[in-house]
Amino acid sequence: MPRAHHRASSDVPLSMAAHFSAAEFLCRCARPECDAIRDVSPDLLARLERLRERLGRPLVVTSGIRCAWQNQRVGGVDGSEHVLGRAADLAMPTSPERYAVIEANFTVPTLFTRLGVGGTFVHVGVSDELASKVLWVYGQRSRGERV
């Protein structure tokens, strides 16, 4: 399936997202030959909207869709949810903010079953192909663990 290039923020259909812009999800490689997909998962968007409601404040997407080149450049894994438009990294610069997003996520019903915690962000993903009910800390995965 051919992939289209990003030319304008309107390329990403986000009509169902009240609080997120297309620009937040675009690949950040800035290369003219970027071959990142353009479609953000509707499931991801719906869950991000619910997470925002639970937190009662805006969420900042620091990494949405990535092309394979950008994914490799930032240390992403092969088969990353970001390459498929099924993940977002959310800016959470403090420990209390990271705790709040994890707590809000696990309020019933649970929104995301794929979470990664970094020093300044929380990764949320909705892959159907990768393991669910997983939580990892960046830089501290068990040897050989693939999540």
Side-chain angles (χ1 to χ4, degrees):
M1 170 171 73
R3 293 180 177 179
H5 298 290
H6 291 294
R7 294 287 180 225
S9 61
S10 61
D11 286 347
V12 180
L14 293 175
S15 57
M16 67 177 287
H19 298 101
F20 296 96
S21 72
E24 290 180 277
F25 288 92
L26 291 176
C27 182
R28 300 212 189 334
C29 79
R31 299 173 314 125
E33 65 273 20
C34 177
D35 63 351
I37 64 170
R38 296 184 294 175
D39 298 325
V40 177
S41 162
D43 186 29
L44 175 67
L45 292 173
R47 290 171 192 245
L48 284 170
E49 286 289 346
R50 288 196 300 270
L51 182 60
R52 184 188 191 280
E53 289 171 13
R54 288 181 184 183
L55 288 168
R57 67 175 185 85
L59 297 172
V60 176
V61 176
T62 59
S63 184
I65 296 171
R66 298 178 190 155
C67 65
W69 182 89
Q70 176 72 354
N71 191 59
Q72 182 178 20
R73 189 182 80 74
V74 300
V77 298
D78 289 339
S80 169
E81 294 169 291
H82 288 281
V83 175
L84 302 173
R86 300 188 57 78
D89 292 344
L90 307 173
M92 298 290 152
T94 69
S95 180
E97 288 174 297
R98 292 187 296 278
Y99 182 88
V101 80
I102 299 296
E103 182 178 49
N105 180 72
F106 287 117
T107 301
V108 176
T110 297
L111 296 175
F112 295 97
T113 59
R114 295 187 47 76
L115 296 158
V117 180
T120 59
F121 68 95
V122 172
H123 168 99
V124 294
V126 296
S127 174
D128 293 329
E129 294 80 30
L130 299 172
S132 66
K133 296 186 179 179
V134 292
L135 172 68
W136 63 91
V137 177
Y138 284 90
Q140 298 191 16
R141 288 190 189 154
S142 299
R143 185 179 170 136
E145 182 179 20
R146 172 135 166 59
V147 294

